[in-house]
Amino acid sequence: MILPIYTYGQPVLRKVAQDIDKDYPELKELIANMWETLASSEGIGLAAPQIGLPIRVVVIDLDLLKEDFPEYAGFKKVYINAHIEDYDDSETETSSEGCLSLPAIHENVKRPTRIRVTYQDENFTEHDEWVEGYLARVMQHEFDHLEGKMFIDRITPLRKQLIKSKLKALLQGRFRTGYKVKVAR
């Protein structure tokens, strides 16, 4: 089932998400719905807070980018109880980011190119790994949602001032998008 994506201004997007256990009700169905919602919105990542649930579940599909990043062909992963444990700040990169919860807003965001993450997969197998490159950027963006943060929190105050009218339009529901949304009102 395709779920509506919560847009900027929804309180759930500013809450720190909670870890879950394998007994979370209908988890497999939730994950399937998240995949379907992500595909219908043509995004590459979706965090549970973006569909109104303050839990630590993220799906990432980088297969869409296989022409530019052939190493991600077939890459589709579920991250449960995901946490960033460490940032390797020795190398950073600035790149444009957008977000399904912030339609039509794209800004340059500076992020470390390498991070250490812990998470569980859909079988609740524990993982602790260093991730780098584009996947590290996507994980930081999605895992920020689990901490109640959005990419606009990582831009300069001047840039944030320059997009103030766009943010106001989002709050008022004055935007168009090709996917179902739930607007803050």
Side-chain angles (χ1 to χ4, degrees), residues 70-96:
E71 66 271 28
Y72 295 128
F75 186 99
K76 281 180 79 165
K77 268 183 119 170
V78 176
Y79 300 89
I80 298 171
N81 301 329
H83 295 271
I84 297 175
E85 302 294 340
D86 198 7
Y87 296 87
D88 178 352
D89 291 324
S90 64
E91 192 174 324
T92 60
E93 183 175 272
T94 301
S95 187
S96 180

Side-chain angles (χ1 to χ4, degrees), residues 83-118:
H83 295 271
I84 297 175
E85 302 294 340
D86 198 7
Y87 296 87
D88 178 352
D89 291 324
S90 64
E91 192 174 324
T92 60
E93 183 175 272
T94 301
S95 187
S96 180
E97 291 188 20
C99 181
L100 297 172
S101 294
L102 292 157
I105 297 179
H106 292 83
E107 289 293 323
N108 286 328
V109 179
K110 182 178 176 181
R111 296 192 188 267
T113 58
R114 188 169 179 261
I115 57 172
R116 185 177 141 241
V117 296
T118 57

Side-chain angles (χ1 to χ4, degrees), residues 10-184:
Q10 288 282 0
V12 69
L13 295 173
R14 294 306 192 174
K15 290 182 179 168
V16 175
Q18 300 300 307
D19 283 351
I20 62 169
D21 61 29
K22 61 183 173 206
D23 297 324
Y24 187 83
E26 300 172 14
L27 180 60
K28 287 193 185 311
E29 183 181 342
L30 169 64
I31 291 169
N33 290 343
M34 288 178 71
W35 282 124
E36 193 174 346
T37 301
L38 181 64
S40 76
S41 63
E42 299 180 2
I44 59 173
L46 183 67
Q50 292 180 276
I51 55 165
L53 298 173
I55 59 172
R56 298 185 88 85
V57 178
V58 169
V59 295
I60 295 177
D61 180 357
L62 295 184
D63 187 62
L64 296 170
L65 306 175
K66 63 186 169 200
E67 287 186 26
D68 294 326
F69 299 98
E71 66 271 28
Y72 295 128
F75 186 99
K76 281 180 79 165
K77 268 183 119 170
V78 176
Y79 300 89
I80 298 171
N81 301 329
H83 295 271
I84 297 175
E85 302 294 340
D86 198 7
Y87 296 87
D88 178 352
D89 291 324
S90 64
E91 192 174 324
T92 60
E93 183 175 272
T94 301
S95 187
S96 180
E97 291 188 20
C99 181
L100 297 172
S101 294
L102 292 157
I105 297 179
H106 292 83
E107 289 293 323
N108 286 328
V109 179
K110 182 178 176 181
R111 296 192 188 267
T113 58
R114 188 169 179 261
I115 57 172
R116 185 177 141 241
V117 296
T118 57
Y119 64 93
Q120 295 165 316
D121 59 29
E122 59 263 60
N123 299 313
F124 283 83
T125 303
E126 301 274 344
H127 296 267
D128 184 336
E129 56 196 36
W130 282 93
V131 180
E132 55 189 59
Y134 193 73
L135 177 57
R137 172 171 294 278
V138 174
M139 288 173 112
Q140 288 173 80
H141 177 107
E142 297 305 330
F143 295 3
D144 271 358
H145 283 298
L146 305 179
E147 301 299 333
K149 293 187 170 89
M150 302 178 86
F151 80 88
I152 57 170
D153 299 330
R154 300 197 180 276
I155 62 177
T156 66
L158 174 60
R159 288 302 312 160
K160 196 153 186 184
Q161 188 63 36
L162 291 172
I163 65 168
K164 197 174 188 175
S165 64
K166 289 181 180 180
L167 294 174
K168 185 177 179 185
L170 284 176
L171 289 172
Q172 296 171 343
R174 292 186 293 116
F175 63 91
R176 291 178 192 255
T177 186
Y179 48 88
K180 290 183 359 181
V181 296
K182 185 166 173 78
V183 178

